[in-house]
Amino acid sequence: MAEEKKVNKAKKLPRHPMPEQEAKVRARNFEEVPFGYSNETAMAEASRCLRCKKPKCVEGCPVNVKIPEFVGLIADGDFIGAAHKLKETNALPAVCGRVCPQESQCEALCVLTKKGESVAIGRLERFAADYERKQGEMQLPKIAPATGKKVAVIGGGPAGLTVAGDLVKLGHDVTIFEALHKTGGVLVYGIPEFRLPKAIVQAEVDYLKSLGVKIVESYVVGRIETVDELLERFDACFIGTGAGLPVFMKIEGENLNGVYSANEYLTRSNLMKAYLFPEYDTPIVKGKRVATFGGGNVAMDSSRTALRLGAEKSYIIYRRSMDEMPARDEEIHHAGEEGVEFLLLANPERLIGDEKGWLTGVECIKMELGEPDESGRRRPVEIPGSEFVVEVDTVVVAIGNGPNPLVPSTTPDLKTNRWGNIDADLETGKTSMTGVYAGGDIVTGAATVIEAMGAGKKAAVAIHEYLQDT
Amino acid sequence: MNRIVTKEEFSKNPSVKMMQIEAPRIARKAKGGQFVVFRLNETGERVPLTVADTDPEKGLVTIIFQEVGKSTMALGALEVGDCLADFIGPLGQPTHMGDFGTVLCVAGGIGIAPTHNIVKALKANGNKVISIIGARTKDLLFWEDKMRDLSDELYVCTDDGSYGIHGLVTKVEQELLEKNRESGEIGLVIGIGPPIMMKFVCKTSEPFGVQTLVSLPTIMVDATGMCGACRVTVGGETKFVCVDGPEFDGHKVDFDEMLKRQGIYLEQEKVAVERYQHGNDCGCCDECGGDQ
Ligand SMILES: Cc1cc2nc3c(=O)[nH]c(=O)nc-3n(C[C@H](O)[C@H](O)[C@H](O)COP(=O)(O)OP(=O)(O)OC[C@H]3O[C@@H](n4cnc5c(N)ncnc54)[C@H](O)[C@@H]3O)c2cc1C
Ligand SMILES: Cc1cc2nc3c(=O)[nH]c(=O)nc-3n(C[C@H](O)[C@H](O)[C@H](O)COP(=O)(O)OP(=O)(O)OC[C@H]3O[C@@H](n4cnc5c(N)ncnc54)[C@H](O)[C@@H]3O)c2cc1C
Ligand code: SF4
Ligand code: FES
């Protein structure tokens, strides 16, 4: 009875919106879109939480963040306490609070969802983590006495960073080898500044360094040193090299000037800061009419980047309908608000260019939804004779990424599946090679930040066990 | 790390320079045909350059570059003792080594640099090597002595006849392949230089049916296979030069597409150069530290 009343009260109290830059303004700058909660709003939002005895939300989180506890601490005004509570299970709360698909994870299972709007768990997570960072008092955890065991972590994305953090706390000597000149994986080269400020990722990387993790950047494993060679000087290896292989449509005209993979477009803009050209050296084509192919987060990031680079028109061309789009709801919503136009149920068939090799348009065909396929989504089918041309000068292909083949192809004993993903036990990260573990996108295919971190956590436990016996 | 240990100017106009960079791991590991990527500083772009030579004992990697734009100009302005923010490698596939019998290496201009390291590897694998090196004019030739030491036969050409044989490298290539019709000893041609020159090296060898490798200088970003900036069409298939190459069967490369793709950033490159030279002249930015 009492429970029922509380629910009804919370239902009446709507979820607190997070203030953000106005759509028209932010569509032309690279600053972060939302400003975050104020202390007061955070406390008010946190007090909506019912502190359920059997919190469902925790089950929805791949790393089982202690949600009612940290939310409760915010409600009580103990923001630092909340941040520490978060960090017990999630090493990167400032990142996850911004990029996790909460609506299909923790927030989907919140009891309030049934009757109204869930507690804004992601926004509160972000609030607590930001509060701690701004206070500048990052709590250093206890580090176990040195074990003398050395671990090499290949790839500095969310999976690698998590493994490294967990193992260094257990007293192991950990070195991350990162191919690019900046550590963070997709967090630095893929996800744009306006969604995840790079200073936040840098703070997390610096924090790991302060724990004693060594980081060697610009070190391409497989070329400068193979996994087998690393095993001669390390007791164990973790491979977290991600899904960094761009997939193209394999249609006519894809090598025309002005056609980018999303990886190239976003890497130029984010990692290389091409949006600051000529202050930064790396150039990028600043298209006036840009079309992005695909409907995931990567496509949203690309189409929104295009606007910020000065596009007058930025289209998303997607072969299914809005309902099937895999991107986070918030990203689709933000993209729409900023002026991205959605050409749905349309599939690019051919890219058209001029005699100098520059893109001038894309020919698409209209689609309709047929029977559901294996994924449960309704399969798009072409409508014959419905071809139409959209005039564009830039295209970004964001239809997916495959596993990065560099490490597998230079490690003969490492087993992969037929798509090229490393064969690894999902509970331990164990691979076909003794002492070699793997996790994140290189194992599962392109997934999410929190899933890569979850895989890193499990692998760290398994590696720790393995090191006890060696 | 990545310290410039020696610097030498090979020619002034256009400016071609050689540097040895302290990079012991790369020096030990790099093989013929591979390249490195450098980044000057925090705001710098990632620029690919071939490994021209290595000294594993001293831990040095030799690069030779022509100053064609902002990044190579700014690299050329550095002095011995300066360091590069990043020096990454070795990247790409090494030249496939085997016993090809006689290999004909055709190098144009700056292409002499990569060719040198490949010839070194070919010789170590027991091949006979005939080399042709050429440039527009005498001043632009370099490493003639090194190439002569390594090669079993060396031909030197200049377009303007100011030194050696008067004519293009493809003229000598044509003659040698004619002669080879009977003996058939040349099992492989390797052509490295400006894209146009490589295109014609391939056109020349095609009627003779001799396999021809070229090394493609496409535009790159990460150079680890992650972005596709470097893609080219080879035999109708899209390949990534940074991981599948840089060397490909030249008879199958779509050179015209590659040449068009190399022009994507011409406008921005001009802006960058103007800004760079302006900065150097007037002392109004940090480039020169306000000295001028
Ligand atoms: C544009 C974009 C937007 C996204 N948005 C979201 C989002 O909103 N929410 C979400 O949850 N997920 C999102 N994702 C997915 C998420 O980022 C990934 O699932 C996650 O980053 C995977 O982590 P990882 O550690 O496995 O790999 P990565 O993050 O890919 O990191 C792999 C690292 O390994 C390095 N590496 C590769 N090869 C080598 C080598 N040979 N030697 C050394 N280092 C190497 C790479 O340079 C890279 O730094 C997005 C992805 C993209 C591309
Ligand atoms: C595998 C590989 C090996 C190379 N080896 C050498 C070498 O040994 N010596 C040498 O002098 N040059 C080499 N190059 C070319 C060299 O990378 C470019 O000259 C350099 O990037 C130009 O940069 P810039 O800023 O000075 O000039 P920009 O102003 O950027 O460009 C000037 C010209 O160079 C071309 N170019 C621009 N960026 C690139 C790029 N990233 N890659 C290739 N071409 C580009 C443009 O098409 C333009 O015509 C190599 C390129 C590749 C891909
Ligand atoms: S980590 Fe992600 S899934 Fe877990 S509680 Fe936070 S936002 Fe929800
Ligand atoms: S340069 Fe990015 S894939 Fe080759």
Side-chain angles (χ1 to χ4, degrees):
Chain A
M1 229 1 237
E3 182 83 342
E4 185 78 355
K5 254 196 196 139
K6 253 165 68 187
V7 172
N8 282 333
K9 202 176 139 216
K11 196 181 104 187
K12 282 199 200 97
L13 224 162
R15 184 181 161 112
H16 293 77
M18 186 162 45
E20 56 189 28
Q21 281 196 70
E22 205 217 315
K24 274 216 183 71
V25 176
R26 69 175 193 246
R28 300 291 169 198
N29 70 45
F30 275 85
E31 266 132 63
E32 192 176 11
V33 170
F35 297 121
Y37 279 155
S38 66
N39 297 1
E40 294 70 34
T41 318
M43 285 172 74
E45 178 61 28
S47 62
R48 290 180 65 227
C49 175
L50 303 177
R51 310 207 189 176
C52 310
K53 283 207 190 67
K54 284 194 196 135
K56 285 271 180 227
C57 52
V58 178
E59 291 165 32
C61 171
V63 299
N64 306 125
V65 163
K66 294 172 180 161
I67 297 169
E69 284 98 322
F70 100 79
V71 172
L73 286 164
I74 294 182
D76 298 343
D78 181 3
F79 305 144
I80 294 281
H84 293 170
K85 183 57 75 185
L86 274 164
K87 282 206 169 153
E88 285 176 20
T89 45
N90 182 343
L92 307 174
V95 174
C96 289
R98 287 173 165 83
V99 305
C100 269
Q102 290 99 3
E103 72 270 15
S104 57
Q105 296 182 162
C106 48
E107 292 178 8
L109 299 183
C110 174
V111 288
L112 292 183
T113 307
K114 274 188 242 149
K115 314 205 168 171
E117 284 181 299
S118 79
V119 173
I121 301 170
R123 293 173 185 175
L124 290 172
E125 180 174 20
R126 165 198 163 124
F127 167 79
D130 285 359
Y131 185 88
E132 189 198 22
R133 197 181 58 256
K134 282 181 206 147
Q135 293 291 302
E137 46 175 296
M138 297 282 245
Q139 178 200 36
L140 286 192
K142 268 220 212 78
I143 305 262
T147 60
K149 302 282 184 196
K150 294 174 71 187
V151 183
V153 173
I154 307 165
L161 293 175
T162 307
V163 173
D166 284 6
L167 288 176
V168 83
K169 285 185 221 159
L170 292 166
H172 304 300
D173 180 354
V174 185
T175 309
I176 297 178
F177 296 99
E178 167 55 48
L180 295 172
H181 57 265
K182 271 217 169 63
T183 302
V186 169
L187 308 182
V188 292
Y189 79 72
I191 303 181
E193 179 77 18
F194 57 82
R195 205 147 72 75
L196 179 62
K198 300 307 146 220
I200 290 172
V201 184
Q202 193 55 50
E204 300 295 357
V205 172
D206 289 344
Y207 173 73
L208 281 186
K209 282 191 196 157
S210 71
L211 299 185
V213 174
K214 294 172 204 150
I215 301 185
V216 182
E217 286 161 345
S218 296
Y219 203 87
V220 185
V221 173
R223 291 276 190 252
I224 184 85
E225 195 169 10
T226 62
V227 171
D228 292 291
E229 286 164 336
L230 281 171
L231 283 174
E232 288 168 18
R233 53 188 191 110
F234 288 90
D235 298 294
C237 260
F238 175 82
I239 306 173
T241 46
L245 181 75
V247 175
F248 284 94
M249 307 266 306
K250 297 198 166 30
I251 56 175
E252 188 187 323
E254 225 165 5
N255 292 348
L256 285 166
N257 292 354
V259 183
Y260 284 110
S261 74
N263 273 5
E264 181 182 355
Y265 196 64
L266 294 171
T267 300
R268 281 185 184 274
S269 180
N270 297 323
L271 179 71
M272 306 310 297
K273 302 246 181 297
Y275 65 89
L276 296 175
F277 178 89
E279 203 180 310
Y280 280 70
D281 291 343
T282 304
I284 193 165
V285 173
K286 295 188 175 177
K288 288 280 163 242
R289 300 173 62 88
V290 184
T292 303
F293 303 164
N297 287 324
V298 185
M300 298 308 138
D301 285 343
S302 304
S303 63
R304 297 172 70 194
T305 294
L307 286 176
R308 286 160 174 80
L309 288 172
E312 282 151 19
K313 287 274 181 196
S314 179
Y315 301 104
I316 289 271
I317 301 184
Y318 181 56
R319 62 196 181 118
R320 303 182 202 241
S321 72
M322 204 66 127
D323 290 341
E324 287 85 20
M325 277 203 183
R328 292 177 64 206
D329 291 350
E330 182 177 315
E331 306 319 324
I332 300 175
H333 172 73
H334 274 153
E337 271 186 350
E338 289 168 12
V340 170
E341 289 172 48
F342 293 86
L343 301 180
L344 301 171
L345 291 165
N347 201 32
E349 292 215 300
R350 186 167 74 92
L351 297 168
I352 307 161
D354 63 18
E355 67 291 348
K356 292 208 178 107
W358 281 89
L359 176 76
T360 56
V362 49
E363 184 182 290
C364 301
I365 187 160
K366 289 199 177 132
M367 313 290 275
E368 59 190 351
L369 291 179
E371 295 300 306
D373 60 14
E374 319 84 65
S375 72
R377 294 186 298 178
R378 292 175 64 195
R379 191 194 299 274
V381 263
E382 293 179 0
I383 304 175
S386 66
E387 290 83 357
F388 64 103
V389 172
V390 189
E391 267 177 49
V392 288
D393 54 21
T394 309
V395 150
V396 183
V397 182
I399 56 164
N401 281 316
N404 191 318
L406 227 169
V407 168
S409 69
T410 52
T411 317
D413 296 334
L414 191 65
K415 285 217 176 73
T416 52
N417 68 17
R418 69 187 150 119
W419 296 281
N421 296 105
I422 295 178
D423 249 332
D425 184 309
L426 290 182
E427 287 310 307
T428 60
K430 255 188 150 109
T431 68
S432 56
M433 287 170 75
T434 312
V436 178
Y437 296 74
D441 283 4
I442 185 69
V443 172
T444 56
T448 60
V449 171
I450 192 70
E451 281 167 293
M453 291 177 59
K457 270 194 148 356
K458 288 178 184 163
V461 172
I463 293 172
H464 182 59
E465 260 170 37
Y466 169 77
L467 291 174
Q468 307 296 302
D469 306 334
T470 54
Chain B
M1 278 265 283
N2 314 332
R3 200 164 54 90
I4 300 167
V5 179
T6 62
K7 176 182 174 184
E8 198 181 313
E9 188 171 64
F10 280 170
S11 69
K12 269 213 156 50
N13 192 22
S15 172
V16 173
K17 288 179 179 145
M18 182 203 72
M19 282 178 178
Q20 283 181 301
I21 313 288
E22 196 172 58
R25 270 185 182 278
I26 303 178
R28 277 203 299 275
K29 199 82 181 193
K31 298 203 175 79
Q34 289 189 300
F35 62 98
V36 291
V37 160
F38 77 85
R39 206 169 59 106
L40 283 169
N41 49 36
E42 265 320 296
T43 56
E45 60 183 337
R46 298 168 63 98
V47 184
L49 291 177
T50 312
V51 173
D53 200 2
T54 55
D55 185 338
E57 258 134 56
K58 292 197 188 131
L60 302 180
V61 174
T62 305
I63 49 173
I64 297 179
F65 56 96
Q66 181 172 342
E67 297 185 0
V68 292
K70 146 113 204 242
S71 295
T72 42
M73 284 174 192
L75 175 65
L78 295 182
E79 296 301 339
V80 170
D82 290 341
C83 292
L84 302 169
D86 298 295
F87 196 68
I88 309 151
L91 298 166
Q93 306 284 348
T95 309
H96 173 70
M97 278 301 149
D99 184 3
F100 305 104
T102 300
V103 182
L104 176 61
C105 291
V106 190
I110 193 80
I112 299 171
T115 308
H116 170 266
N117 219 25
I118 295 171
V119 173
K120 210 169 164 184
L122 285 169
K123 288 306 295 178
N125 276 269
N127 293 281
K128 182 178 168 192
V129 177
I130 305 175
S131 302
I132 310 169
I133 61 173
R136 249 190 8 254
T137 181
K138 178 172 184 250
D139 289 348
L140 300 182
L141 280 171
F142 58 89
W143 278 11
E144 182 189 343
D145 48 342
K146 279 192 163 211
M147 290 296 286
R148 193 177 300 283
D149 288 349
L150 282 173
S151 314
D152 296 273
E153 286 173 40
L154 178 77
Y155 298 84
V156 185
C157 335
T158 49
D159 299 4
D160 65 358
S162 53
Y163 185 73
I165 301 161
H166 188 170
L168 303 173
V169 284
T170 42
K171 183 176 117 183
V172 184
E173 179 195 2
Q174 174 84 24
E175 288 166 11
L176 290 173
L177 288 172
E178 297 276 3
K179 261 197 249 163
N180 186 58
R181 257 193 222 280
E182 278 144 47
S183 64
E185 62 181 57
I186 297 177
L188 180 69
V189 175
I190 299 180
I192 304 182
I196 292 284
M197 170 245 162
M198 289 194 275
K199 182 175 164 178
F200 285 100
V201 168
C202 295
K203 279 229 154 97
T204 307
S205 67
E206 203 163 13
F208 296 93
V210 184
Q211 196 200 338
T212 302
L213 286 181
V214 289
S215 179
L216 303 180
T218 51
I219 289 177
M220 295 186 174
V221 184
D222 62 297
T224 65
M226 188 261 272
C227 77
C230 59
R231 62 197 191 278
V232 284
T233 305
V234 183
E237 255 182 83
T238 294
K239 297 275 180 196
F240 289 3
V241 172
C242 68
V243 284
D244 301 325
E247 287 164 19
F248 293 96
D249 179 343
H251 295 145
K252 295 191 179 150
V253 171
D254 183 341
F255 280 102
D256 295 336
E257 178 188 272
M258 187 189 115
L259 282 163
K260 284 176 188 160
R261 286 187 63 78
Q262 280 211 307
I264 300 181
Y265 301 106
L266 283 180
E267 265 173 52
Q268 286 101 321
E269 284 157 7
K270 241 198 288 168
V271 171
V273 167
E274 271 161 22
R275 193 169 176 273
Y276 175 70
Q277 290 175 332
H278 177 68
N280 267 2
D281 288 339
C282 68
C284 64
C285 71
D286 281 336
E287 302 271 12
C288 65
D291 288 345
Q292 289 167 32

